[in-house]
Amino acid sequence: MQTVVIVIHLMIVAVMIGAVLLQKSEGGGLGMGGGAGFMSSRGTANLLTRTTAILAAGFFLTSMFLSWHAGYSRAPSSIIGTPASQGQPAGGSPIAPPTSGGILDSLKKADEQQQQAPAPSGPQVPRSQ
C-alpha cells in the first residue's frame, strides 16, 4: 500500500512541476513569447492555477498519509536504548545502569590495561618479525 501511495505521490510531483513551469510568470520565464498558444492567456492562467491548486492539495494529502503510515507501527522506545514498557508509571523505579558492554566500561578496561603495562624507558626500535 505504501508503494502505491509513493508512486502516486511522485506522479503528482512530476505533473505539478510541469504545471508550475507552464504558468506565465511576471518576468517572462517559460511563458514568454506571447501570442500563439493553444488557449487564450486568460483561459490558460485559470486552468493552470486550478490544476496547480488541485495537485498541491493531492501532494499535501499524500505527504500526510505517508508520514502517518511511517509512524503507525513504530513502537515507543526509551532514549537509553531499552524498549519502553507500557505498564511502567512515569515516576517508577530508577533504571539500573548496564553491568557490561557499555562504551564507558570498555574505555575503563582499556585505561586499566594501559596503566598495568610497564612504560618504556626510552624510544623503541622497531623489530622485524
mmCIF file of all heavy atoms in Angstrom, residues 90-115:
data_model
loop_
_atom_site.group_PDB
_atom_site.id
_atom_site.type_symbol
_atom_site.label_atom_id
_atom_site.label_comp_id
_atom_site.label_asym_id
_atom_site.label_seq_id
_atom_site.Cartn_x
_atom_site.Cartn_y
_atom_site.Cartn_z
ATOM 1 N N ALA A 90 5.300 6.825 35.048
ATOM 2 C CA ALA A 90 6.321 7.816 34.713
ATOM 3 C C ALA A 90 7.306 8.009 35.869
ATOM 4 O O ALA A 90 8.481 8.221 35.650
ATOM 5 C CB ALA A 90 5.661 9.143 34.368
ATOM 6 N N GLY A 91 6.845 7.928 37.098
ATOM 7 C CA GLY A 91 7.722 8.120 38.249
ATOM 8 C C GLY A 91 8.120 6.801 38.879
ATOM 9 O O GLY A 91 8.301 6.713 40.082
ATOM 10 N N GLY A 92 8.273 5.765 38.087
ATOM 11 C CA GLY A 92 8.565 4.420 38.591
ATOM 12 C C GLY A 92 9.980 4.298 39.120
ATOM 13 O O GLY A 92 10.678 5.264 39.391
ATOM 14 N N SER A 93 10.404 3.063 39.272
ATOM 15 C CA SER A 93 11.726 2.791 39.821
ATOM 16 C C SER A 93 12.803 3.261 38.851
ATOM 17 O O SER A 93 12.617 3.261 37.641
ATOM 18 C CB SER A 93 11.871 1.289 40.085
ATOM 19 O OG SER A 93 11.774 0.585 38.861
ATOM 20 N N PRO A 94 13.961 3.685 39.393
ATOM 21 C CA PRO A 94 15.033 4.165 38.518
ATOM 22 C C PRO A 94 15.605 3.027 37.670
ATOM 23 O O PRO A 94 15.581 1.866 38.063
ATOM 24 C CB PRO A 94 16.077 4.711 39.488
ATOM 25 C CG PRO A 94 15.802 4.020 40.780
ATOM 26 C CD PRO A 94 14.314 3.752 40.796
ATOM 27 N N ILE A 95 16.098 3.385 36.529
ATOM 28 C CA ILE A 95 16.674 2.401 35.609
ATOM 29 C C ILE A 95 18.089 2.086 36.066
ATOM 30 O O ILE A 95 18.903 2.988 36.302
ATOM 31 C CB ILE A 95 16.682 2.951 34.178
ATOM 32 C CG1 ILE A 95 15.258 3.233 33.736
ATOM 33 C CG2 ILE A 95 17.377 2.012 33.220
ATOM 34 C CD1 ILE A 95 15.152 3.925 32.408
ATOM 35 N N ALA A 96 18.390 0.796 36.195
ATOM 36 C CA ALA A 96 19.720 0.370 36.620
ATOM 37 C C ALA A 96 20.696 0.529 35.458
ATOM 38 O O ALA A 96 20.353 0.248 34.319
ATOM 39 C CB ALA A 96 19.680 -1.083 37.071
ATOM 40 N N PRO A 97 21.929 0.987 35.744
ATOM 41 C CA PRO A 97 22.907 1.132 34.670
ATOM 42 C C PRO A 97 23.319 -0.246 34.140
ATOM 43 O O PRO A 97 23.266 -1.232 34.858
ATOM 44 C CB PRO A 97 24.083 1.848 35.340
ATOM 45 C CG PRO A 97 23.933 1.556 36.791
ATOM 46 C CD PRO A 97 22.466 1.390 37.030
ATOM 47 N N PRO A 98 23.721 -0.322 32.892
ATOM 48 C CA PRO A 98 24.141 -1.609 32.345
ATOM 49 C C PRO A 98 25.381 -2.123 33.069
ATOM 50 O O PRO A 98 26.253 -1.347 33.460
ATOM 51 C CB PRO A 98 24.434 -1.308 30.879
ATOM 52 C CG PRO A 98 24.580 0.164 30.793
ATOM 53 C CD PRO A 98 23.805 0.742 31.931
ATOM 54 N N THR A 99 25.428 -3.425 33.256
ATOM 55 C CA THR A 99 26.544 -4.012 34.008
ATOM 56 C C THR A 99 27.770 -4.234 33.138
ATOM 57 O O THR A 99 28.887 -4.190 33.619
ATOM 58 C CB THR A 99 26.123 -5.359 34.621
ATOM 59 O OG1 THR A 99 25.661 -6.213 33.572
ATOM 60 C CG2 THR A 99 25.022 -5.149 35.644
ATOM 61 N N SER A 100 27.597 -4.481 31.864
ATOM 62 C CA SER A 100 28.748 -4.662 30.981
ATOM 63 C C SER A 100 28.343 -4.348 29.557
ATOM 64 O O SER A 100 27.162 -4.308 29.224
ATOM 65 C CB SER A 100 29.252 -6.103 31.063
ATOM 66 O OG SER A 100 28.263 -6.975 30.552
ATOM 67 N N GLY A 101 29.343 -4.131 28.725
ATOM 68 C CA GLY A 101 29.067 -3.921 27.325
ATOM 69 C C GLY A 101 28.888 -2.472 26.938
ATOM 70 O O GLY A 101 28.772 -2.169 25.762
ATOM 71 N N GLY A 102 28.864 -1.555 27.919
ATOM 72 C CA GLY A 102 28.715 -0.150 27.592
ATOM 73 C C GLY A 102 30.025 0.452 27.118
ATOM 74 O O GLY A 102 31.115 -0.094 27.345
ATOM 75 N N ILE A 103 29.958 1.586 26.466
ATOM 76 C CA ILE A 103 31.161 2.242 25.953
ATOM 77 C C ILE A 103 32.052 2.713 27.090
ATOM 78 O O ILE A 103 33.282 2.655 26.996
ATOM 79 C CB ILE A 103 30.789 3.397 25.000
ATOM 80 C CG1 ILE A 103 32.013 4.001 24.328
ATOM 81 C CG2 ILE A 103 30.046 4.494 25.734
ATOM 82 C CD1 ILE A 103 32.619 3.133 23.298
ATOM 83 N N LEU A 104 31.438 3.162 28.196
ATOM 84 C CA LEU A 104 32.253 3.618 29.319
ATOM 85 C C LEU A 104 33.006 2.457 29.960
ATOM 86 O O LEU A 104 34.148 2.611 30.380
ATOM 87 C CB LEU A 104 31.376 4.327 30.348
ATOM 88 C CG LEU A 104 30.758 5.648 29.882
ATOM 89 C CD1 LEU A 104 29.853 6.212 30.956
ATOM 90 C CD2 LEU A 104 31.835 6.638 29.517
ATOM 91 N N ASP A 105 32.357 1.285 30.025
ATOM 92 C CA ASP A 105 33.035 0.118 30.586
ATOM 93 C C ASP A 105 34.222 -0.300 29.722
ATOM 94 O O ASP A 105 35.297 -0.624 30.237
ATOM 95 C CB ASP A 105 32.057 -1.052 30.726
ATOM 96 C CG ASP A 105 31.012 -0.791 31.800
ATOM 97 O OD1 ASP A 105 31.313 -0.043 32.757
ATOM 98 O OD2 ASP A 105 29.909 -1.336 31.673
ATOM 99 N N SER A 106 34.051 -0.282 28.419
ATOM 100 C CA SER A 106 35.158 -0.688 27.548
ATOM 101 C C SER A 106 36.300 0.323 27.606
ATOM 102 O O SER A 106 37.474 -0.049 27.575
ATOM 103 C CB SER A 106 34.671 -0.869 26.109
ATOM 104 O OG SER A 106 34.181 0.344 25.609
ATOM 105 N N LEU A 107 35.988 1.616 27.741
ATOM 106 C CA LEU A 107 37.048 2.617 27.886
ATOM 107 C C LEU A 107 37.775 2.472 29.219
ATOM 108 O O LEU A 107 38.993 2.645 29.292
ATOM 109 C CB LEU A 107 36.454 4.021 27.760
ATOM 110 C CG LEU A 107 35.999 4.439 26.365
ATOM 111 C CD1 LEU A 107 35.295 5.785 26.419
ATOM 112 C CD2 LEU A 107 37.164 4.485 25.408
ATOM 113 N N LYS A 108 37.028 2.141 30.270
ATOM 114 C CA LYS A 108 37.650 1.960 31.577
ATOM 115 C C LYS A 108 38.593 0.760 31.566
ATOM 116 O O LYS A 108 39.702 0.815 32.095
ATOM 117 C CB LYS A 108 36.558 1.769 32.636
ATOM 118 C CG LYS A 108 37.077 1.680 34.047
ATOM 119 C CD LYS A 108 35.944 1.581 35.048
ATOM 120 C CE LYS A 108 36.470 1.470 36.454
ATOM 121 N NZ LYS A 108 35.392 1.335 37.427
ATOM 122 N N LYS A 109 38.191 -0.336 30.914
ATOM 123 C CA LYS A 109 39.050 -1.520 30.820
ATOM 124 C C LYS A 109 40.308 -1.223 30.011
ATOM 125 O O LYS A 109 41.402 -1.651 30.367
ATOM 126 C CB LYS A 109 38.280 -2.673 30.180
ATOM 127 C CG LYS A 109 37.223 -3.260 31.081
ATOM 128 C CD LYS A 109 36.447 -4.355 30.377
ATOM 129 C CE LYS A 109 35.299 -4.858 31.239
ATOM 130 N NZ LYS A 109 34.470 -5.849 30.546
ATOM 131 N N ALA A 110 40.172 -0.475 28.919
ATOM 132 C CA ALA A 110 41.336 -0.123 28.100
ATOM 133 C C ALA A 110 42.292 0.756 28.892
ATOM 134 O O ALA A 110 43.517 0.598 28.803
ATOM 135 C CB ALA A 110 40.896 0.575 26.827
ATOM 136 N N ASP A 111 41.764 1.680 29.709
ATOM 137 C CA ASP A 111 42.604 2.545 30.527
ATOM 138 C C ASP A 111 43.340 1.750 31.593
ATOM 139 O O ASP A 111 44.524 1.978 31.858
ATOM 140 C CB ASP A 111 41.741 3.630 31.164
ATOM 141 C CG ASP A 111 42.569 4.702 31.855
ATOM 142 O OD1 ASP A 111 43.657 5.027 31.328
ATOM 143 O OD2 ASP A 111 42.127 5.215 32.899
ATOM 144 N N GLU A 112 42.662 0.772 32.208
ATOM 145 C CA GLU A 112 43.298 -0.066 33.224
ATOM 146 C C GLU A 112 44.407 -0.915 32.614
ATOM 147 O O GLU A 112 45.462 -1.110 33.222
ATOM 148 C CB GLU A 112 42.258 -0.957 33.891
ATOM 149 C CG GLU A 112 41.313 -0.213 34.807
ATOM 150 C CD GLU A 112 40.181 -1.083 35.328
ATOM 151 O OE1 GLU A 112 40.092 -2.256 34.894
ATOM 152 O OE2 GLU A 112 39.397 -0.588 36.146
ATOM 153 N N GLN A 113 44.212 -1.411 31.405
ATOM 154 C CA GLN A 113 45.240 -2.218 30.752
ATOM 155 C C GLN A 113 46.459 -1.363 30.416
ATOM 156 O O GLN A 113 47.591 -1.833 30.529
ATOM 157 C CB GLN A 113 44.691 -2.856 29.483
ATOM 158 C CG GLN A 113 43.697 -3.964 29.747
ATOM 159 C CD GLN A 113 43.073 -4.506 28.469
ATOM 160 O OE1 GLN A 113 43.323 -3.984 27.396
ATOM 161 N NE2 GLN A 113 42.260 -5.541 28.605
ATOM 162 N N GLN A 114 46.274 -0.125 30.036
ATOM 163 C CA GLN A 114 47.407 0.740 29.729
ATOM 164 C C GLN A 114 48.184 1.096 30.985
ATOM 165 O O GLN A 114 49.400 1.225 30.953
ATOM 166 C CB GLN A 114 46.928 2.023 29.043
ATOM 167 C CG GLN A 114 46.515 1.829 27.609
ATOM 168 C CD GLN A 114 46.057 3.124 26.971
ATOM 169 O OE1 GLN A 114 45.900 4.142 27.645
ATOM 170 N NE2 GLN A 114 45.822 3.078 25.668
ATOM 171 N N GLN A 115 47.505 1.243 32.120
ATOM 172 C CA GLN A 115 48.182 1.585 33.362
ATOM 173 C C GLN A 115 48.975 0.406 33.892
ATOM 174 O O GLN A 115 50.006 0.578 34.530
ATOM 175 C CB GLN A 115 47.170 2.054 34.403
ATOM 176 C CG GLN A 115 46.593 3.417 34.101
ATOM 177 C CD GLN A 115 45.533 3.829 35.111
ATOM 178 O OE1 GLN A 115 45.192 3.073 36.003
ATOM 179 N NE2 GLN A 115 45.020 5.037 34.951
#
